[in-house]
Amino acid sequence: MRHFKKLSALFLLCAAILCGCTQSNIVSPTGGTVEGPAVPDVETRDNVEIDWSEVNQAVRDEFMEPYGPYGDYVMDMAVSYDAASKTMTVLLPVTAKTTGEIAVSYGEAVLKVCGDELATQDFSYEPSDEEQLYYGSFFDENNVVVQIFPFNTQDDKSTYLVNDTMKAGEQRALVALTK
C-alpha cells in the first residue's frame, strides 16, 4: 500500500509538471496577438503550376508494378507537357505480346490516372470518371498525344500500336493502328 501511495504521488507530480508544458503557440502565439487573418486560407487558386514529375510518378506508381492489370505489358512510360502548344505527350513502350486492343485499354487507363493526378494538384480541374470515357477536365483545354509502341521501336512508327492525337475537348476512345 505504501508503495502504491509513492507511485501515485510520483504520477501526480509528473502530471503536474507536464501540464505546464502544454502551451500551444499555434492557438495562442507567444506575443498573444495573431497577425493577419485568424482563419486558414482555403480558397482554390487558378493557374497552379503542375509538377509533371509528380504526374509521371503517379502513373509509374499505378502501372509499373508487376502485378497490376497491365503488368505483363508495361515496359516504361513518360508523360511530358509543352506549354507553348498546350499538348501533353504520353509515351508508353510495351512488350512485344501487347495487342492493339490491350494498348488502347492501357492508354485510356493511363490518361485517367493523369487526369486524376492533375485534378489533385489543381482543384480547378475535375478528375476522370470511372463510369464513362472521361479523362478529366484538363483534357477539355489541352491536346494529348498518346504513342504506344513495342519497346526499342520508338523510331519506327510502322510498329506503333497507338499513335493518336486528341484535340482539346474531344474526350474519346483511343484508336489502335493494329489489332
Side-chain angles (χ1 to χ4, degrees), residues 109-125:
V110 167
L111 289 179
K112 285 187 175 196
V113 169
C114 288
D116 291 344
E117 177 60 27
L118 291 164
T120 299
Q121 289 188 35
D122 185 343
F123 294 141
S124 66
Y125 294 127

Side-chain angles (χ1 to χ4, degrees), residues 38-163:
V39 293
D41 181 13
V42 293
E43 293 295 317
T44 58
R45 303 205 188 302
D46 292 332
N47 300 323
V48 172
E49 187 173 334
I50 299 296
D51 184 347
W52 289 96
S53 63
E54 285 187 25
V55 175
N56 270 295
Q57 191 59 46
V59 172
R60 287 182 172 282
D61 289 348
E62 183 75 23
F63 296 104
M64 289 299 286
E65 293 196 23
Y67 304 111
Y70 300 98
D72 292 340
Y73 310 102
V74 177
M75 294 295 290
D76 201 2
M77 55 189 51
V79 178
S80 61
Y81 183 72
D82 178 33
S85 64
K86 295 183 76 169
T87 301
M88 183 174 91
T89 303
V90 180
L91 302 175
L92 302 171
V94 294
T95 62
K97 64 182 177 181
T98 307
T99 64
E101 183 179 325
I102 291 170
V104 164
S105 174
Y106 172 46
E108 290 172 353
V110 167
L111 289 179
K112 285 187 175 196
V113 169
C114 288
D116 291 344
E117 177 60 27
L118 291 164
T120 299
Q121 289 188 35
D122 185 343
F123 294 141
S124 66
Y125 294 127
E126 293 178 25
S128 68
D129 186 344
E130 294 298 320
E131 304 294 319
Q132 301 174 16
L133 189 61
Y134 183 70
Y135 305 118
S137 65
F138 174 84
F139 299 101
D140 290 337
E141 305 166 4
N142 296 278
N143 305 317
V144 63
V145 175
V146 179
Q147 296 177 328
I148 305 174
F149 46 88
F151 190 72
N152 285 335
T153 65
Q154 182 174 358
D155 295 332
D156 183 6
K157 294 198 184 229
S158 68
T159 64
Y160 280 31
L161 300 167
V162 174
N163 188 7

